[in-house]
Amino acid sequence: MFYWLLKLVILGPLLRLVFRPKVDGLENVPRSGPVILACNHLSFSDSIFTPLIVRRKVTFVAKAEYFTGKGIKGWLSRMFFVGAGTIPVDRSGGEAAQAALDTLLRVLKEGNIAGIYPEGTRSPDGRLYRGKTGVARLALESGAVVVPVALLNTDEIQPTGTLIPTVKRVRIRIGKPLDFSRYAESRGDRFVERAITDELMYELMVLSGREYVDVYAASLKSPVNSSPRAA
């Protein structure tokens, strides 16, 4: 209920008024059934604007520490993530990525929308980086279609390290759903998972117009700067 209150009554109308989202391809998001929204990742604000423009609820995951902060700042952080439909996940230790994927898989099996950043972290320079295969595993395990979502200028609105966003019209482009059900019998095949992921990243490259770099973004960044919603 808090999610819809923020989205439809409190925060959503204000964000729409200020940032005037221009969205191409919104009709490509299915109105029912499990859906994976696979987004390029340019800014912290990606996790604000993506749920804002989609009519259905979108669920991301974030590390549990974002829900346990102290004082006013901690309360504001907790309220934001709860209001954005984010689920806390213990991302410490070697099972962190799997815990995040398991949480999103549960969302999909309930027939809902899961959001994921295939690059695993924010782009350090605006280019599009090699995708991690977790998105392919989610698609094969859940049977969900994958909808590529290109955020076009959120790095201009809120560059990494800035707190106050620049008021500028946000632009988003959504591609047609990708159906990978033909690979359903190949679950667990690493080569198939890589092929699916590469096909998705190609679609994101075309939609975003960003240069593609065939290395993992995390290899160019320190752990301190990695995104809380990477999976």
Side-chain angles (χ1 to χ4, degrees):
M1 181 62 71
F2 187 51
Y3 173 90
W4 294 111
L5 185 64
L6 277 183
K7 181 173 179 175
L8 300 179
V9 180
I10 301 174
L11 190 58
L14 177 62
L15 290 174
R16 288 181 180 276
L17 178 65
V18 173
F19 293 99
R20 300 170 295 124
K22 183 179 186 302
V23 185
D24 297 320
L26 186 58
E27 69 278 3
N28 291 325
V29 180
R31 295 188 177 185
S32 62
V35 178
I36 299 169
L37 293 186
C39 316
N40 64 321
H41 201 4
L42 300 173
S43 167
F44 175 83
S45 62
D46 298 339
S47 300
I48 299 174
F49 292 120
T50 303
L52 177 68
I53 57 95
V54 177
R55 297 183 182 95
R56 298 171 61 190
K57 182 177 180 180
V58 180
T59 299
F60 285 92
V61 296
K63 60 184 180 181
E65 288 86 345
Y66 280 81
F67 295 79
T68 58
K70 304 297 183 183
I72 295 178
K73 183 178 179 181
W75 182 84
L76 288 173
S77 174
R78 184 164 58 255
M79 289 301 98
F80 166 77
F81 284 112
V82 170
T86 306
I87 296 177
V89 172
D90 183 358
R91 296 173 61 84
S92 62
E95 301 300 321
Q98 189 58 51
L101 292 176
D102 288 345
T103 300
L104 293 177
L105 182 60
R106 186 174 70 250
V107 170
L108 293 168
K109 287 187 173 181
E110 292 171 352
N112 299 316
I113 298 182
I116 190 171
Y117 300 113
E119 293 166 279
T121 187
R122 287 191 293 265
S123 169
D125 54 16
R127 295 184 292 177
L128 185 69
Y129 283 82
R130 182 178 174 89
K132 296 187 175 183
T133 58
V135 63
R137 295 200 299 276
L138 278 178
L140 295 177
E141 288 287 337
S142 67
V145 296
V146 182
V147 177
V149 179
L151 296 125
L152 303 180
N153 66 337
T154 51
D155 52 341
E156 300 171 12
I157 293 171
Q158 190 176 23
T160 300
T162 62
L163 181 62
I164 306 300
T166 300
V167 176
K168 190 173 186 177
R169 190 172 196 180
V170 63
R171 295 184 295 116
I172 300 173
R173 189 173 295 142
I174 303 175
K176 293 187 179 299
L178 303 174
D179 184 354
F180 297 110
S181 60
R182 62 190 183 278
Y183 297 118
E185 301 303 318
S186 300
R187 286 181 294 178
D189 187 318
R190 290 181 298 171
F191 295 102
V192 170
E193 291 172 356
R194 172 46 56 192
I196 290 172
T197 305
D198 289 346
E199 181 178 339
L200 167 63
M201 300 312 292
Y202 176 81
E203 294 297 326
L204 283 173
M205 179 187 70
V206 172
L207 285 170
S208 68
R210 301 269 174 160
E211 178 186 352
Y212 178 74
V213 184
D214 196 26
V215 299
Y216 293 116
S219 67
L220 306 180
K221 300 172 66 177
S222 67
V224 173
N225 294 324
S226 64
S227 165
R229 270 180 270 302

PDB file of all heavy atoms in Angstrom, residues 209-225:
ATOM      1  N   GLY A 209      22.025   3.595 -27.596  1.00  0.00           N
ATOM      2  CA  GLY A 209      22.980   4.317 -28.416  1.00  0.00           C
ATOM      3  C   GLY A 209      24.336   4.485 -27.739  1.00  0.00           C
ATOM      4  O   GLY A 209      25.178   5.257 -28.198  1.00  0.00           O
ATOM      5  N   ARG A 210      24.556   3.739 -26.669  1.00  0.00           N
ATOM      6  CA  ARG A 210      25.819   3.836 -25.926  1.00  0.00           C
ATOM      7  C   ARG A 210      26.847   2.856 -26.488  1.00  0.00           C
ATOM      8  O   ARG A 210      26.505   1.775 -26.965  1.00  0.00           O
ATOM      9  CB  ARG A 210      25.579   3.523 -24.448  1.00  0.00           C
ATOM     10  CG  ARG A 210      24.573   4.447 -23.771  1.00  0.00           C
ATOM     11  CD  ARG A 210      25.233   5.646 -23.160  1.00  0.00           C
ATOM     12  NE  ARG A 210      24.266   6.603 -22.621  1.00  0.00           N
ATOM     13  CZ  ARG A 210      24.566   7.534 -21.706  1.00  0.00           C
ATOM     14  NH1 ARG A 210      25.795   7.610 -21.226  1.00  0.00           N
ATOM     15  NH2 ARG A 210      23.651   8.377 -21.296  1.00  0.00           N
ATOM     16  N   GLU A 211      28.095   3.238 -26.396  1.00  0.00           N
ATOM     17  CA  GLU A 211      29.177   2.350 -26.820  1.00  0.00           C
ATOM     18  C   GLU A 211      29.226   1.123 -25.914  1.00  0.00           C
ATOM     19  O   GLU A 211      29.069   1.238 -24.694  1.00  0.00           O
ATOM     20  CB  GLU A 211      30.514   3.093 -26.750  1.00  0.00           C
ATOM     21  CG  GLU A 211      31.715   2.239 -27.132  1.00  0.00           C
ATOM     22  CD  GLU A 211      33.037   2.951 -26.927  1.00  0.00           C
ATOM     23  OE1 GLU A 211      33.017   4.170 -26.621  1.00  0.00           O
ATOM     24  OE2 GLU A 211      34.092   2.286 -27.056  1.00  0.00           O
ATOM     25  N   TYR A 212      29.422  -0.050 -26.501  1.00  0.00           N
ATOM     26  CA  TYR A 212      29.496  -1.293 -25.731  1.00  0.00           C
ATOM     27  C   TYR A 212      30.953  -1.669 -25.489  1.00  0.00           C
ATOM     28  O   TYR A 212      31.787  -1.607 -26.393  1.00  0.00           O
ATOM     29  CB  TYR A 212      28.785  -2.426 -26.471  1.00  0.00           C
ATOM     30  CG  TYR A 212      28.866  -3.755 -25.754  1.00  0.00           C
ATOM     31  CD1 TYR A 212      28.103  -3.994 -24.624  1.00  0.00           C
ATOM     32  CD2 TYR A 212      29.737  -4.759 -26.191  1.00  0.00           C
ATOM     33  CE1 TYR A 212      28.187  -5.203 -23.942  1.00  0.00           C
ATOM     34  CE2 TYR A 212      29.815  -5.968 -25.521  1.00  0.00           C
ATOM     35  CZ  TYR A 212      29.038  -6.188 -24.397  1.00  0.00           C
ATOM     36  OH  TYR A 212      29.127  -7.379 -23.727  1.00  0.00           O
ATOM     37  N   VAL A 213      31.240  -2.074 -24.247  1.00  0.00           N
ATOM     38  CA  VAL A 213      32.579  -2.513 -23.863  1.00  0.00           C
ATOM     39  C   VAL A 213      32.466  -3.929 -23.328  1.00  0.00           C
ATOM     40  O   VAL A 213      31.727  -4.178 -22.371  1.00  0.00           O
ATOM     41  CB  VAL A 213      33.179  -1.588 -22.781  1.00  0.00           C
ATOM     42  CG1 VAL A 213      34.622  -2.007 -22.482  1.00  0.00           C
ATOM     43  CG2 VAL A 213      33.127  -0.135 -23.228  1.00  0.00           C
ATOM     44  N   ASP A 214      33.190  -4.860 -23.903  1.00  0.00           N
ATOM     45  CA  ASP A 214      33.037  -6.274 -23.549  1.00  0.00           C
ATOM     46  C   ASP A 214      33.904  -6.679 -22.358  1.00  0.00           C
ATOM     47  O   ASP A 214      34.665  -7.646 -22.407  1.00  0.00           O
ATOM     48  CB  ASP A 214      33.357  -7.156 -24.762  1.00  0.00           C
ATOM     49  CG  ASP A 214      32.837  -8.588 -24.577  1.00  0.00           C
ATOM     50  OD1 ASP A 214      31.867  -8.766 -23.821  1.00  0.00           O
ATOM     51  OD2 ASP A 214      33.415  -9.504 -25.199  1.00  0.00           O
ATOM     52  N   VAL A 215      33.797  -5.926 -21.284  1.00  0.00           N
ATOM     53  CA  VAL A 215      34.409  -6.282 -20.003  1.00  0.00           C
ATOM     54  C   VAL A 215      33.381  -5.940 -18.926  1.00  0.00           C
ATOM     55  O   VAL A 215      32.458  -5.152 -19.151  1.00  0.00           O
ATOM     56  CB  VAL A 215      35.730  -5.529 -19.722  1.00  0.00           C
ATOM     57  CG1 VAL A 215      36.776  -5.851 -20.786  1.00  0.00           C
ATOM     58  CG2 VAL A 215      35.502  -4.023 -19.650  1.00  0.00           C
ATOM     59  N   TYR A 216      33.533  -6.525 -17.738  1.00  0.00           N
ATOM     60  CA  TYR A 216      32.615  -6.234 -16.647  1.00  0.00           C
ATOM     61  C   TYR A 216      32.917  -4.855 -16.048  1.00  0.00           C
ATOM     62  O   TYR A 216      34.077  -4.528 -15.774  1.00  0.00           O
ATOM     63  CB  TYR A 216      32.707  -7.297 -15.559  1.00  0.00           C
ATOM     64  CG  TYR A 216      32.207  -8.646 -16.000  1.00  0.00           C
ATOM     65  CD1 TYR A 216      33.068  -9.749 -16.062  1.00  0.00           C
ATOM     66  CD2 TYR A 216      30.883  -8.835 -16.369  1.00  0.00           C
ATOM     67  CE1 TYR A 216      32.616 -10.998 -16.465  1.00  0.00           C
ATOM     68  CE2 TYR A 216      30.413 -10.071 -16.776  1.00  0.00           C
ATOM     69  CZ  TYR A 216      31.285 -11.144 -16.829  1.00  0.00           C
ATOM     70  OH  TYR A 216      30.825 -12.376 -17.238  1.00  0.00           O
ATOM     71  N   ALA A 217      31.885  -4.072 -15.832  1.00  0.00           N
ATOM     72  CA  ALA A 217      32.067  -2.737 -15.267  1.00  0.00           C
ATOM     73  C   ALA A 217      32.716  -2.793 -13.895  1.00  0.00           C
ATOM     74  O   ALA A 217      33.500  -1.917 -13.532  1.00  0.00           O
ATOM     75  CB  ALA A 217      30.720  -2.016 -15.178  1.00  0.00           C
ATOM     76  N   ALA A 218      32.388  -3.832 -13.121  1.00  0.00           N
ATOM     77  CA  ALA A 218      32.933  -3.941 -11.765  1.00  0.00           C
ATOM     78  C   ALA A 218      34.449  -4.049 -11.763  1.00  0.00           C
ATOM     79  O   ALA A 218      35.100  -3.692 -10.774  1.00  0.00           O
ATOM     80  CB  ALA A 218      32.324  -5.137 -11.055  1.00  0.00           C
ATOM     81  N   SER A 219      35.026  -4.529 -12.853  1.00  0.00           N
ATOM     82  CA  SER A 219      36.478  -4.665 -12.912  1.00  0.00           C
ATOM     83  C   SER A 219      37.177  -3.317 -12.999  1.00  0.00           C
ATOM     84  O   SER A 219      38.387  -3.215 -12.767  1.00  0.00           O
ATOM     85  CB  SER A 219      36.884  -5.522 -14.119  1.00  0.00           C
ATOM     86  OG  SER A 219      36.595  -4.853 -15.339  1.00  0.00           O
ATOM     87  N   LEU A 220      36.421  -2.263 -13.318  1.00  0.00           N
ATOM     88  CA  LEU A 220      36.984  -0.922 -13.440  1.00  0.00           C
ATOM     89  C   LEU A 220      36.668  -0.045 -12.252  1.00  0.00           C
ATOM     90  O   LEU A 220      37.077   1.107 -12.208  1.00  0.00           O
ATOM     91  CB  LEU A 220      36.447  -0.245 -14.708  1.00  0.00           C
ATOM     92  CG  LEU A 220      36.620  -1.003 -16.018  1.00  0.00           C
ATOM     93  CD1 LEU A 220      36.039  -0.194 -17.158  1.00  0.00           C
ATOM     94  CD2 LEU A 220      38.085  -1.305 -16.280  1.00  0.00           C
ATOM     95  N   LYS A 221      35.930  -0.593 -11.274  1.00  0.00           N
ATOM     96  CA  LYS A 221      35.468   0.203 -10.150  1.00  0.00           C
ATOM     97  C   LYS A 221      35.887  -0.427  -8.835  1.00  0.00           C
ATOM     98  O   LYS A 221      36.061  -1.624  -8.734  1.00  0.00           O
ATOM     99  CB  LYS A 221      33.935   0.325 -10.178  1.00  0.00           C
ATOM    100  CG  LYS A 221      33.386   0.971 -11.429  1.00  0.00           C
ATOM    101  CD  LYS A 221      31.882   0.897 -11.480  1.00  0.00           C
ATOM    102  CE  LYS A 221      31.237   1.706 -10.393  1.00  0.00           C
ATOM    103  NZ  LYS A 221      29.780   1.709 -10.466  1.00  0.00           N
ATOM    104  N   SER A 222      35.995   0.416  -7.815  1.00  0.00           N
ATOM    105  CA  SER A 222      36.261  -0.101  -6.480  1.00  0.00           C
ATOM    106  C   SER A 222      34.958  -0.608  -5.894  1.00  0.00           C
ATOM    107  O   SER A 222      33.883  -0.139  -6.243  1.00  0.00           O
ATOM    108  CB  SER A 222      36.841   1.003  -5.586  1.00  0.00           C
ATOM    109  OG  SER A 222      35.870   1.996  -5.344  1.00  0.00           O
ATOM    110  N   PRO A 223      35.010  -1.570  -4.944  1.00  0.00           N
ATOM    111  CA  PRO A 223      33.793  -2.104  -4.332  1.00  0.00           C
ATOM    112  C   PRO A 223      32.933  -1.043  -3.675  1.00  0.00           C
ATOM    113  O   PRO A 223      31.727  -1.169  -3.567  1.00  0.00           O
ATOM    114  CB  PRO A 223      34.323  -3.109  -3.298  1.00  0.00           C
ATOM    115  CG  PRO A 223      35.681  -3.497  -3.805  1.00  0.00           C
ATOM    116  CD  PRO A 223      36.221  -2.254  -4.470  1.00  0.00           C
ATOM    117  N   VAL A 224      33.566   0.045  -3.229  1.00  0.00           N
ATOM    118  CA  VAL A 224      32.840   1.089  -2.515  1.00  0.00           C
ATOM    119  C   VAL A 224      31.791   1.732  -3.410  1.00  0.00           C
ATOM    120  O   VAL A 224      30.734   2.159  -2.973  1.00  0.00           O
ATOM    121  CB  VAL A 224      33.817   2.179  -2.017  1.00  0.00           C
ATOM    122  CG1 VAL A 224      33.063   3.359  -1.421  1.00  0.00           C
ATOM    123  CG2 VAL A 224      34.765   1.585  -0.985  1.00  0.00           C
ATOM    124  N   ASN A 225      32.079   1.780  -4.732  1.00  0.00           N
ATOM    125  CA  ASN A 225      31.189   2.490  -5.636  1.00  0.00           C
ATOM    126  C   ASN A 225      30.161   1.599  -6.307  1.00  0.00           C
ATOM    127  O   ASN A 225      29.389   2.061  -7.136  1.00  0.00           O
ATOM    128  CB  ASN A 225      32.030   3.172  -6.736  1.00  0.00           C
ATOM    129  CG  ASN A 225      32.907   4.247  -6.191  1.00  0.00           C
ATOM    130  OD1 ASN A 225      32.526   4.957  -5.266  1.00  0.00           O
ATOM    131  ND2 ASN A 225      34.115   4.378  -6.722  1.00  0.00           N
TER     132      ASN A 225
END
